[in-house]
């Protein structure tokens, strides 16, 4: 399916070019900053513009003819010409080495045995992975940076030092993976280690301004790929400061979602746990933090019962602080104290399911509007083709005014459809962020109850099935993709799967959300039974 954007069109005759005599050339510029050049009905050329113009014209400057003049909504005036910039760099060539078939067959046999046994053995890290050391030096205070969109965002800057002593002067490639609402600059880059095997990379992380989305994790994964005797990769993690995505707020007494955690150690002072925020000692049992979208999360401590309550109006807002509170408690208490956390409240299953239903309804509405846009686009293409053929036949623009009016009406219809799709896309994007945060919070709370390695493995399998909340094929929803994964997990536990037959509907391919709810709740019940066994 072709996703159209609203565009502007410039029609003109190249009377000064011999190759285009008596031909109609149309320039079409999309919202994706792509300039498409049509000669009659055929695409002759396209390119990527530096900006998205609102007005496009053809002009002559002195002896140069056919220059393209564009004007953006910010008032930027650009003069461009049709040309192609060649690539000025080359890719690194990996050294060739013979294929070791015998070693490969042994690895395949080992993996088959592990899969048949139902588990994969933890492999010891290679010696090459021990040669890397990643140190992140970040300032404790955040700063404010203007983004390319002219928005002021909270950011944090620092230097990433990569040390590989046994790989002097080596070429490496670095990738950064973090929460969807946190941007790493650069997100990936190529570096060359110096004579002692070190390289320093200036970094900046900033939170993406969002009306509904909230950051659910501060973990950043750094992957380094190097070319030695063969390509090898190494991964390390670090945690960003909480001040990057949250700030102090006024506590809220009432909230729709409440989660209680208990500990086997005396309650810690919140002023000591959150030393990166300025708190009074008198308010050591209460803190309120606010996401940048305005959602407030309150943390209350009971020193008599050693319990911590987190409450907010959104389950997704609790995901970050549930994980952060546990991490800080483990750092506060030494390893010798053997801190154990327990969930002292029911799992927020109903709240999570409400987000699943909202996400699916937004997906259905977006799919309907996208189909309508496709129909309007095809209608516009037919009218546009008739208009082009009429111009080629009459060679006069004045005789095609009626058809041009039809083109304009069809264009307005496409524009209205695009606006509807963009609105539903925004709602669907917000619902995706909320569902992702709710699932992360639910899984984090489940992990609190699962301490053994076998039970942790079951939670990891469920996490792999549910996250991330994304879909590679727009014709298939996230719910449909996850349903098959959950059915597989249920069968692995020797329990009957959810029924696959559905009631008679208007379409045989219509997805039944009720069946998905059954298999979703059944997968959670399996984890509860494992914790009781």
């Amino acid at each position: 399916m072709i996703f159209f954007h609203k565009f502007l069109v410039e029609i003109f005759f190249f009377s000064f070019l011999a190759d285009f005599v008596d031909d109609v050339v149309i320039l079409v510029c999309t919202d994706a900053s792509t300039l498409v050049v049509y000669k009659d009905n055929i695409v002759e050329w396209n390119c990527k513009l530096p900006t998205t113009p609102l007005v496009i014209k053809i002009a002559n400057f002195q002896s140069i003819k056919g220059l393209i003049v564009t004007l953006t909504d910010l008032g930027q005036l650009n003069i461009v010409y049709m040309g192609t910039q060649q690539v000025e760099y080359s890719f690194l060539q990996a050294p060739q080495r013979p294929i070791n078939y015998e070693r490969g067959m042994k690895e395949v046999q080992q993996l088959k045995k592990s899969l048949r046994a139902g588990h994969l053995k933890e492999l010891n890290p290679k010696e090459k992975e021990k040669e890397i050391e990643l140190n992140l030096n970040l300032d404790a205070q955040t700063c404010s940076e203007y983004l390319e969109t002219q928005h002021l965002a909270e950011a944090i800057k620092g230097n990433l030092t990569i040390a590989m002593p046994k790989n002097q002067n080596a070429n490496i490639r670095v990738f950064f993976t973090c929460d969807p609402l946190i941007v790493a600059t650069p997100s990936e880059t190529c570096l060359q280690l110096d004579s002692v095997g070190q390289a320093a990379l200036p970094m900046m992380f900033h939170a993406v301004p969002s009306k509904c989305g909230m950051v659910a994790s501060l973990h950043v994964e750094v992957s380094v790929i190097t070319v030695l005797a063969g390509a090898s990769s190494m991964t390390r993690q670090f945690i960003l400061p909480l001040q990057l995505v949250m700030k102090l707020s006024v506590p809220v007494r009432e909230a729709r979602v409440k989660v209680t955690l208990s500990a086997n150690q005396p309650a810690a002072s919140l002023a000591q746990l959150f030393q990166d925020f300025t708190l009074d000692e008198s308010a050591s049992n209460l803190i309120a933090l606010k996401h940048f979208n305005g959602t407030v999360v309150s943390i209350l401590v009971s020193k008599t019962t050693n319990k911590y309550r987190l409450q907010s109006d959104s389950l997704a807002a609790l995901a970050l602080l549930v994980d952060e509170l546990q991490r800080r408690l483990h750092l506060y208490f030494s390893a010798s104290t053997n801190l154990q956390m327990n969930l002292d409240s029911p799992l927020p299953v109903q709240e999570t399911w409400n987000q699943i239903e909202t996400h699916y309804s937004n997906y259905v509405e977006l799919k309907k509007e996208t189909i309508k846009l496709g129909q309007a686009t095809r209608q516009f293409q037919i009218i546009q083709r008739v208009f082009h053929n009429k111009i080629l036949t009459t060679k006069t623009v004045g005789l095609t005014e009626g058809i041009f009016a039809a083109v304009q009406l069809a264009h307005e219809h496409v524009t209205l459809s695009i606006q509807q799709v963009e609105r539903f896309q925004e709602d669907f994007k917000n619902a995706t962020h909320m569902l992702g945060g709710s699932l992360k919070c639910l899984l984090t709370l489940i992990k609190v109850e699962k301490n053994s390695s076998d039970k942790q493995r079951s939670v990891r399998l469920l996490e792999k099935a549910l996250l991330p909340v994304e879909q590679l094929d727009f014709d298939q929803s996230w719910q449909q993709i996850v349903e098959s994964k959950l059915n597989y997990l249920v069968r692995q536990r020797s329990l009957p799967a959810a029924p696959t037959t559905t009631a008679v509907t208007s379409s045989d391919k219509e997805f039944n959300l009720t069946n998905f709810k059954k298999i979703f709740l059944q997968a959670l019940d399996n984890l509860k039974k494992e914790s009781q066994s």
Side-chain angles (χ1 to χ4, degrees):
M1 180 173 291
I2 299 177
F3 291 92
F4 271 71
H5 298 271
K6 47 190 177 182
F7 54 83
L8 46 91
V9 181
E10 174 70 6
I11 304 175
F12 57 94
F13 296 89
F14 275 110
S15 59
F16 49 83
L17 292 179
D19 296 338
F20 292 92
V21 175
D22 296 332
D23 290 327
V24 178
V25 177
I26 301 176
L27 299 183
V28 179
C29 189
T30 69
D31 270 353
S33 304
T34 301
L35 176 67
V36 184
V37 181
Y38 287 90
K39 177 187 174 184
D40 297 333
N41 296 331
I42 302 175
V43 177
E44 290 288 340
W45 198 73
N46 68 85
C47 69
K48 195 76 171 179
L49 296 179
T51 58
T52 303
L54 292 179
V55 180
I56 182 171
K57 293 293 181 182
I58 303 299
N60 301 331
F61 290 88
Q62 297 178 357
S63 60
I64 304 176
K65 297 180 180 180
L67 293 177
I68 302 174
V69 182
T70 62
L71 179 66
T72 67
D73 56 348
L74 299 178
Q76 290 181 326
L77 187 66
N78 297 308
I79 301 176
V80 297
Y81 61 92
M82 296 183 185
T84 302
Q85 182 179 3
Q86 297 184 359
V87 180
E88 299 179 353
Y89 60 89
S90 60
F91 295 97
L92 296 175
Q93 297 293 333
Q96 298 181 356
R97 57 173 177 170
I99 301 176
N100 191 337
Y101 293 99
E102 182 180 357
R103 179 181 176 185
M105 290 302 298
K106 290 182 179 180
E107 292 181 357
V108 171
Q109 295 298 329
Q110 182 182 1
L111 289 175
K112 284 184 178 180
K113 291 181 181 179
S114 300
L115 290 173
R116 290 171 183 171
H119 65 278
L120 292 176
K121 296 181 180 180
E122 297 292 337
L123 301 178
N124 294 327
K126 300 178 181 179
E127 292 298 327
K128 294 178 182 178
E129 296 191 9
K130 298 179 181 179
E131 297 173 359
I132 185 171
E133 180 182 355
L134 301 180
N135 297 320
L136 183 69
N137 300 320
L138 293 173
D139 297 333
Q141 295 181 354
T142 59
C143 60
S144 298
E145 291 286 334
Y146 277 100
L147 308 179
E148 295 180 358
T149 57
Q150 304 301 319
H151 288 91
L152 186 64
E154 293 295 326
I156 188 166
K157 294 183 178 180
N159 291 321
L160 177 69
T161 302
I162 300 177
M164 303 177 67
K166 297 183 181 180
N167 295 276
Q168 296 88 352
N169 302 318
N171 293 315
I172 61 174
R173 192 171 183 86
V174 187
F175 299 87
F176 296 90
T177 305
C178 48
D179 190 272
L181 293 179
I182 295 180
V183 176
T185 306
S187 59
E188 60 178 272
T189 186
C190 293
L191 296 175
Q192 184 176 14
L193 302 178
D194 56 17
S195 57
V196 295
Q198 294 185 358
L201 175 64
M203 289 295 304
M204 184 182 78
F205 298 91
H206 74 268
V208 179
S210 177
K211 295 181 180 179
C212 296
M214 290 164 285
V215 175
S217 175
L218 293 173
H219 292 262
V220 178
E221 185 178 90
V222 184
S223 300
V224 178
I225 300 176
T226 181
V227 179
L228 301 173
S232 61
S233 62
M234 293 136 284
T235 302
R236 296 292 184 272
Q237 289 187 351
F238 60 87
I239 299 176
L240 294 172
L242 185 60
Q243 288 180 323
L244 179 65
V245 296
M246 301 193 78
K247 57 184 178 180
L248 288 174
S249 179
V250 179
V252 178
R253 291 181 176 272
E254 298 296 332
R256 290 196 295 267
V257 184
K258 299 179 181 179
V259 172
T260 303
L261 301 177
S262 60
N264 62 343
Q265 298 295 329
S269 172
L270 293 179
Q272 297 179 357
L273 289 179
F274 296 89
Q275 295 183 6
D276 43 348
F277 295 92
T278 305
L279 294 176
D280 297 333
E281 289 295 336
S282 58
S284 59
N285 61 340
L286 175 62
I287 185 176
L289 298 173
K290 181 170 64 175
H291 289 271
F292 287 152
N293 69 340
T295 306
V296 179
V297 180
S298 300
I299 303 178
L300 300 90
V301 178
S302 174
K303 295 184 178 181
T304 57
T305 58
N306 301 332
K307 294 182 179 181
Y308 304 85
R309 169 172 288 184
L310 298 91
Q311 58 184 28
S312 177
D313 290 334
S314 171
L315 179 61
L318 297 178
L320 177 59
L321 284 182
V322 168
D323 183 63
E324 188 70 12
L325 178 61
Q326 294 185 77
R327 186 184 69 85
R328 297 190 179 216
L329 283 173
H330 281 90
L331 292 176
Y332 179 78
F333 293 99
S334 60
S336 59
T337 57
N338 191 19
L339 174 66
Q340 294 183 359
M341 302 290 297
N342 296 304
L343 179 63
D344 204 39
S345 61
L347 283 173
V349 178
Q350 185 59 43
E351 290 81 0
T352 307
W353 180 251
N354 293 338
Q355 294 297 332
I356 294 177
E357 287 184 329
T358 302
H359 180 267
Y360 184 72
S361 62
N362 278 274
Y363 163 78
V364 173
E365 293 297 328
L366 175 59
K367 188 175 181 179
K368 290 180 180 178
E369 291 299 326
T370 305
I371 294 175
K372 292 180 181 179
L373 175 59
Q375 296 172 350
T377 300
R378 287 190 293 272
Q379 183 182 11
F380 172 76
Q381 289 175 334
I382 294 173
I383 298 175
Q384 188 184 41
R385 191 177 297 112
V386 173
F387 174 65
H388 291 168
N389 294 333
K390 193 70 173 179
I391 291 180
L392 293 175
T393 303
T394 61
K395 301 294 183 179
T396 306
V397 180
L399 299 178
T400 60
E401 293 181 356
I403 301 180
F404 185 72
V407 173
Q408 288 181 322
L409 291 176
H411 170 260
E412 291 177 0
H413 184 41
V414 172
T415 302
L416 292 177
S417 298
I418 290 172
Q419 293 175 355
Q420 283 289 100
V421 169
E422 289 177 345
R423 184 172 65 86
F424 281 105
Q425 281 179 341
E426 186 66 23
D427 295 340
F428 180 70
K429 180 181 178 181
N430 294 333
T432 300
H433 285 309
M434 297 295 290
L435 176 58
S438 300
L439 290 174
K440 287 181 181 179
C441 183
L442 179 67
L443 293 169
T444 303
L445 294 175
I446 293 176
K447 290 177 183 179
V448 174
E449 296 292 333
K450 314 296 179 183
N451 296 323
S452 64
S453 59
D454 293 338
K455 296 176 181 178
Q456 286 288 346
R457 178 180 176 274
S458 300
V459 179
R460 287 196 299 269
L461 290 176
L462 181 61
E463 184 176 7
K464 292 293 184 182
L466 296 177
L467 295 176
V469 182
E470 62 182 9
Q471 53 195 65
L472 301 178
D473 185 5
F474 189 75
D475 292 333
Q476 193 176 23
S477 66
W478 170 85
Q479 287 78 3
Q480 292 172 283
I481 299 173
V482 172
E483 184 182 31
S484 59
K485 297 179 181 179
L486 294 181
N487 265 308
Y488 174 78
L489 292 180
V490 170
R491 293 192 187 99
Q492 290 295 103
R493 295 301 169 187
S494 300
L495 292 175
T500 56
T501 58
T502 60
V504 179
T505 58
S506 58
S507 174
D508 294 337
K509 296 182 180 180
E510 185 176 349
F511 178 69
N512 194 325
L513 199 61
T514 304
N515 287 342
F516 177 73
K517 184 176 183 179
K518 292 179 181 179
I519 189 64
F520 176 74
L521 296 179
Q522 192 170 0
L524 295 180
D525 289 338
N526 289 353
L527 293 177
K528 292 181 181 178
K529 292 178 181 179
E530 285 185 2
S531 62
Q532 296 173 359
S533 59

